[in-house]
Amino acid sequence: MKDRAFTAVFLYDFPPDSPVNRSRAEAGKALHQLLDAAKTAGDLRQDADANDIMLLLKAHDGVLRWSGDPAQESQRLVERFLRSPHT
C-alpha cells in the first residue's frame, strides 16, 4: 500500500509538459480497452465505464490516507466495488 504511483498518475495534476501526462493517456487507452473486453466477455455491466474506476481510485485514495485500518477497509471497499459492476 506504500506505492501509490498508479493512483497518482490518474488522480493528481502535473505540469502540462510532464511525461506523466503521456503515461496517463496511455494508461487511459489501456483501461478503455480492458473495460471493452470485459463487457464483450460478459464479465462487466454495459453501463460501467472509466468513470467508475476513477471513483474507486478516489475512494481508495481516501481510505489509504484517512483510515485507522487501511488494509481491512481497503479490502472491504474493493470487494464491494468489484461485486457491483458485474452482470
Side-chain angles (χ1 to χ4, degrees):
M1 285 197 222
K2 298 281 183 199
D3 183 357
R4 296 162 38 95
F6 179 81
T7 300
V9 166
F10 280 105
L11 296 184
Y12 305 136
D13 290 327
F14 295 91
D17 60 344
S18 172
V20 172
N21 290 322
R22 183 179 26 183
S23 296
R24 181 185 320 202
E26 291 170 4
K29 288 178 189 176
L31 176 60
H32 283 282
Q33 292 172 343
L34 179 65
L35 294 173
D36 289 343
K39 289 177 187 179
T40 299
D43 293 327
L44 185 65
R45 291 176 19 180
Q46 291 299 314
D47 64 340
D49 62 22
N51 292 321
D52 297 317
I53 303 304
M54 292 302 295
L55 181 62
L56 173 62
L57 290 176
K58 290 174 185 177
H60 192 251
D61 190 58
V63 166
L64 294 178
R65 287 179 183 270
W66 302 107
S67 174
D69 187 355
Q72 181 180 6
E73 290 183 14
S74 175
Q75 181 176 348
R76 183 174 181 212
L77 172 70
V78 172
E79 285 174 355
R80 289 177 189 251
F81 185 86
L82 288 176
R83 282 191 294 234
S84 67
H86 285 277
T87 58

